[in-house]
């Protein structure tokens, strides 16, 4: 029986382990922390009885992930919570929302109603084919070239360019907030692709979250892995591959800086040098709150969703993300806020609430963003500060201390710009393979990049299986 050792029990490491175990391999997963999950964990960060998602909190890509869907994780206790609206975007005098229905969304977009309904309606007809090609290494030629064409015509545009073609301030704001999930300047080529994918995922699968905490998604993945005979080892920090059982393949759910630390001695100098040139993305400054009541939003739509984008009109969001990309800080940062307890009462004592919020920062910048963040929330929800019982602040340095893969606070596994979207960390054609025989990378630093979807781990495992079948990997 072939043996694989996986380093890191994040969603990609777990996905890789599950796929290899499905193929009959003996699989070990080694995790440095006391609990699995990586960025998908839930802890009591503030007060007793309040449960907070430490990193990822809303999971549209997990719900849409082809591999996760195939595992039928509800059999292992996973229950998705679907808020009324996938996401709302607060404006100073109103709001705009993404509905599950394309038509309902379009109805709130004024002069852009028809164009949104037409374009998004066309894209949604080929949603499955687009995700098939984009949730992994981009195949050449694409598997579904005709289905991909409408998306491919728009995707390369900078989001700031697409915004110029829109007439509705509401759609401009909504789309800029969706595109800002890229953690890139919206003036960069390819940021339209992020906005389109976020909108499409909302229409196709909603923006749900696991009932009881993100950790319940991890628990379901661990249960699926162990049901196949896999073994998870916790509290096992790996400093060198020599510490692991002799294996036919080693899969590393870690970022390039950690790959170099634990496996660099097995790699030629040229490859090591290329890994050192891997570019990190922007960081995040995150706050978790224990609240004595729901957030008092002025806009009704913000009470109907677990995810609220805060940043005002598109111009402010473009300026905020552009400042981050240039190494500066915006006085009015774009915020992504999650309010789970409006729809999941298991996360706080009765009558109380939680909030989860972050803004983007230059990589490694640890300037205090508490006041700008809370001013921004107060702008759209006057009285918010009077509800705060406790808060947990995590600057980029704290994010990296929590998870070494988040170098400089980069939660996306490296800059996801056009230069590094598919050729990450170094290779386009075999991005999961390293220059060391039998050593693979399966983290978010490989395609399709950041997000909780497990597809990086799945595709890395598929490459291992292909190499074993073809004889490239000697068993």
């Amino acid at each position: 029986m072939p043996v694989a050792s996986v380093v890191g029990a994040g969603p990609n490491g777990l996905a890789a382990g599950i796929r290899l175990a499905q193929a009959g391999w003996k699989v070990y997963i080694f995790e440095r922390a006391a609990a699995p999950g990586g960025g998908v964990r839930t802890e009591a960060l503030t007060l007793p009885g309040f449960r907070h998602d430490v990193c990822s909190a809303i999971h549209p890509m997990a719900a849409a992930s082809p591999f996760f869907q195939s595992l039928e994780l509800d059999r292992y206790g996973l229950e998705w919570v679907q808020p009324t609206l996938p996401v709302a975007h607060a404006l100073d005098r109103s709001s705009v929302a993404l509905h599950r229905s394309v038509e309902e969304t379009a109805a709130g977009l004024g002069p852009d109603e028809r164009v949104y309904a037409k374009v998004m309606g066309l894209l949604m007809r080929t949603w499955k084919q687009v995700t098939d090609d984009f949730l992994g290494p981009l195949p050449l030629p694409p598997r579904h070239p005709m289905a991909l064409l409408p998306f491919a015509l728009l995707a390369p545009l900078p989001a700031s360019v697409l915004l110029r073609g829109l007439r509705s301030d509401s759609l401009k704001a909504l789309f800029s907030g969706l595109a800002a999930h890229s953690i890139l300047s919206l003036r960069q080529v390819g940021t339209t692709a992020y906005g389109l994918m976020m909108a499409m995922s909302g229409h196709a699968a909603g923006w749900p979250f696991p009932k009881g905490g993100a950790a319940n998604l991890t628990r379901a993945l661990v249960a699926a892995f162990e049901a196949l005979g896999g073994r998870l080892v916790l509290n096992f920090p790996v400093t060198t591959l020599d510490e692991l059982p002799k294996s036919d393949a080693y899969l590393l759910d870690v970022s390039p800086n950690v790959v170099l630390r634990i496996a660099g001695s097995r790699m030629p100098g040229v490859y090591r040098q290329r890994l050192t040139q891997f570019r990190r993305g922007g960081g995040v400054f995150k706050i978790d709150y224990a609240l004595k009541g729901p957030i008092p939003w002025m806009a009704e739509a913000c009470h109907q969703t677990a995810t609220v984008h805060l940043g005002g009109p598109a111009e402010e969001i473009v300026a905020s993300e552009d400042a981050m990309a240039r190494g500066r800080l915006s006085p009015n940062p774009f915020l992504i806020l999650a309010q789970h307890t409006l729809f999941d009462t298991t996360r706080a004592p009765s009558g109380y609430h939680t909030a989860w919020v972050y803004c983007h920062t230059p990589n490694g910048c640890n300037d205090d963003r508490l006041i700008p963040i809370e001013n921004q929330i107060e702008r759209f929800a006057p009285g918010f500060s009077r509800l705060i019982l406790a808060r947990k602040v995590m600057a980029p340095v704290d994010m990296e201390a929590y998870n070494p893969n988040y170098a400089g606070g980069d939660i996306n596994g490296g800059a996801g710009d056009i230069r590094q979207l598919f050729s990450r960390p170094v290779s386009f054609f075999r991005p999961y393979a390293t220059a060391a025989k039998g050593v693979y990378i399966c983290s978010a630093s490989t395609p399709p990049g950041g997000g909780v979807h497990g597809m990086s781990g799945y595709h890395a495992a598929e490459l291992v299986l292909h190499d074993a079948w073809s004889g490239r990997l000697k068993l």
Side-chain angles (χ1 to χ4, degrees):
M1 177 185 294
V3 178
S5 289
V6 180
V7 178
N12 285 311
L14 289 166
I18 291 169
R19 181 65 193 99
L20 291 174
Q22 288 175 331
W25 286 51
K26 184 176 183 178
V27 185
Y28 300 90
I29 299 180
F30 298 90
E31 169 57 48
R32 66 183 287 273
V40 189
R41 293 186 187 139
T42 306
E43 297 179 8
L45 298 177
T46 56
L47 299 174
F50 291 83
R51 295 184 56 75
H52 307 272
D53 291 340
V54 184
C55 186
S56 66
I58 305 295
H59 299 96
M61 299 312 295
S65 167
F67 185 58
F68 286 173
Q69 286 182 342
S70 75
L71 299 177
E72 299 178 347
L73 294 174
D74 59 310
R75 295 184 299 158
Y76 303 102
L78 178 64
E79 182 179 345
W80 289 112
V81 176
Q82 284 280 9
T84 308
L85 298 173
V87 60
H89 186 110
L91 295 165
D92 289 304
R93 296 180 180 83
S94 61
S95 64
V96 58
L98 184 81
H99 297 253
R100 287 295 301 273
S101 161
V102 171
E103 291 73 22
E104 284 185 84
T105 303
L109 301 178
D112 285 324
E113 176 179 358
R114 292 181 62 184
V115 68
Y116 187 89
K118 182 176 180 179
V119 172
M120 194 55 65
L122 178 63
L123 293 174
M124 290 309 299
R125 286 198 287 272
T126 59
W127 156 252
K128 289 189 179 297
Q129 294 93 325
V130 170
T131 54
D132 187 33
D133 276 348
F134 273 80
L135 282 183
L138 182 63
L140 293 176
R143 284 180 287 265
H144 313 286
M146 295 310 296
L148 200 62
L149 186 59
F151 181 84
L153 290 174
L154 293 171
L157 292 174
S160 60
V161 171
L162 183 74
L163 294 175
R164 292 181 208 148
L166 303 177
R167 294 181 293 166
S168 162
D169 290 339
S170 294
L171 181 53
K172 289 180 181 181
L174 177 64
F175 190 80
S176 60
L178 296 172
H181 281 257
S182 63
I183 317 186
L184 296 168
S185 167
L186 300 190
R187 303 183 196 281
Q188 286 206 33
V189 172
T191 44
T192 287
Y194 285 92
L196 293 177
M197 288 298 293
M198 296 304 292
M200 292 166 71
S201 67
H203 292 311
W207 283 25
F209 59 87
K211 184 176 181 179
N216 286 338
L217 171 57
T218 296
R219 290 192 186 95
L221 290 169
V222 169
F225 173 64
E226 293 180 335
L228 293 164
R231 183 183 174 194
L232 173 64
V233 183
L234 300 173
N235 294 303
F236 196 107
V238 177
T239 59
T240 171
L241 296 185
D242 295 333
E243 299 170 343
L244 304 177
K246 183 174 176 54
S247 303
D248 298 288
Y250 300 89
L251 294 90
L252 312 181
D253 182 14
V254 298
S255 58
N257 59 306
V258 183
V259 171
L260 285 167
R261 189 163 70 239
I262 67 178
S265 62
R266 299 192 180 202
M267 300 171 181
V270 172
Y271 185 83
R272 291 200 306 270
Q273 178 63 27
R274 293 188 67 188
L275 281 182
T276 64
Q277 296 169 352
F278 184 75
R279 292 175 296 106
R280 303 301 312 198
V284 299
F285 189 104
K286 174 179 172 284
I287 309 173
D288 288 283
Y289 293 98
L291 304 173
K292 60 183 176 181
I295 299 175
W297 302 110
M298 291 189 293
E300 176 57 31
C302 295
H303 295 277
Q304 300 178 40
T305 181
T307 308
V308 181
H309 287 170
L310 302 173
E315 294 80 8
E316 284 191 28
I317 299 170
V318 172
S320 172
E321 301 307 280
D322 199 45
M324 174 272 299
R326 294 174 182 270
R328 301 197 298 266
L329 296 169
S330 169
N332 298 306
F334 169 69
L335 308 181
I336 299 173
L337 183 146
Q339 45 183 11
H340 300 96
T341 44
L342 289 183
F343 306 92
D344 179 5
T345 58
T346 68
R347 294 179 179 234
S350 179
Y352 293 86
H353 289 266
T354 64
W356 169 109
V357 64
Y358 72 79
C359 71
H360 301 146
T361 71
N363 188 276
C365 174
N366 292 300
D367 290 19
D368 191 350
R369 305 297 286 154
L370 174 64
I371 292 176
I373 286 175
E374 294 191 351
N375 285 345
Q376 194 77 313
I377 300 174
E378 280 281 343
R379 171 182 172 185
F380 301 103
F384 167 78
S385 60
R386 294 194 294 272
L387 300 175
I388 299 172
L389 297 171
R391 60 169 74 83
K392 169 68 173 180
V393 175
M394 295 181 73
V397 66
D398 303 307
M399 299 299 292
E400 184 172 353
Y402 160 73
N403 189 335
N405 294 316
Y406 298 157
D410 172 13
I411 62 173
N412 259 359
D417 58 21
I418 199 71
R419 292 165 51 201
Q420 205 169 255
L421 183 58
F422 293 107
S423 58
R424 55 195 288 137
V426 300
S427 169
F428 185 91
F429 294 103
R430 287 172 56 85
Y432 312 100
T434 73
K437 185 177 179 180
V439 180
Y440 300 79
I441 305 175
C442 64
S443 68
S445 297
T446 63
V452 179
H453 42 63
M455 297 306 294
S456 297
Y458 169 80
H459 288 298
E462 285 288 295
L463 181 60
V464 171
L465 296 174
H466 178 270
D467 285 355
W469 173 80
S470 68
R472 185 189 291 263
L473 185 63
K474 302 295 184 183
L475 303 182

